[in-house]
């Protein structure tokens, strides 16, 4: 997760991730992921952020927030409790109804990720076109 990312909620809806501007924890406005991968929600804080995210030893591992597959399907990170397939966590929900499991495999120049299409019993290694962090 990024150092400027926070988990927020508004009116019982989890907004995750939300991004704080790099001006300090007293800033009152965040931009949060909306219902779709191209929609952001402006959130005005009712209290200041609790310190900072710089307490993670060695820094955070930065994972993509949005993954676009080679077939054009866009997948967004899922937070909170999800399910597992073959002991690998479901990490992304895709617009076409499928899900991505685990993290991108960055071993080769063409990154791939485990994709389970909607209604499929198994997942397949699928090429990634682009990622957004």
């Amino acid at each position: 997760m990024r150092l400027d990312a926070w988990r927020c909620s508004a009116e019982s809806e989890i907004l995750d991730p939300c991004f704080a501007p790099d001006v300090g924890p007293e800033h009152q406005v965040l931009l949060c992921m909306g219902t779709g991968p191209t929609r952001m929600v402006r959130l005005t804080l009712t209290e200041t952020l609790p310190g900072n995210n710089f307490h993670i030893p060695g820094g955070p591992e930065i994972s993509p927030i949005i993954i676009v597959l080679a077939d054009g399907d866009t997948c967004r990170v899922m937070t909170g409790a999800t399910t597992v397939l073959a002991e690998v966590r479901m990490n992304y929900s895709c617009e076409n109804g499928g899900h991505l499991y685990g993290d991108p495999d960055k071993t080769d120049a063409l990154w791939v990720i485990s994709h389970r299409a909607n209604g499929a019993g198994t997942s397949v290694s699928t090429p990634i076109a682009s990622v957004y962090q």
Side-chain angles (χ1 to χ4, degrees), residues 30-64:
L30 302 177
L31 286 178
C32 307
M33 293 295 292
T35 55
T38 59
R39 183 170 180 264
M40 299 294 284
V41 174
R42 184 174 188 252
L43 180 66
T44 302
L45 300 174
T46 57
E47 55 189 68
T48 59
L49 295 170
N52 62 51
N53 278 342
F54 296 100
H55 63 278
I56 302 170
E61 173 145 348
I62 298 178
S63 298

Side-chain angles (χ1 to χ4, degrees), residues 84-123:
V84 296
L85 177 68
E87 299 183 22
V88 179
R89 182 183 187 277
M90 179 193 300
N91 284 339
Y92 299 87
S93 177
C94 302
E95 288 181 342
N96 289 342
H99 294 92
L100 305 180
Y101 290 80
D103 294 312
D105 179 352
K106 304 173 188 176
T107 305
D108 296 319
L110 178 63
W111 293 3
V112 294
I113 193 164
S114 179
H115 176 245
R116 182 178 178 188
N118 194 24
T122 60
S123 64

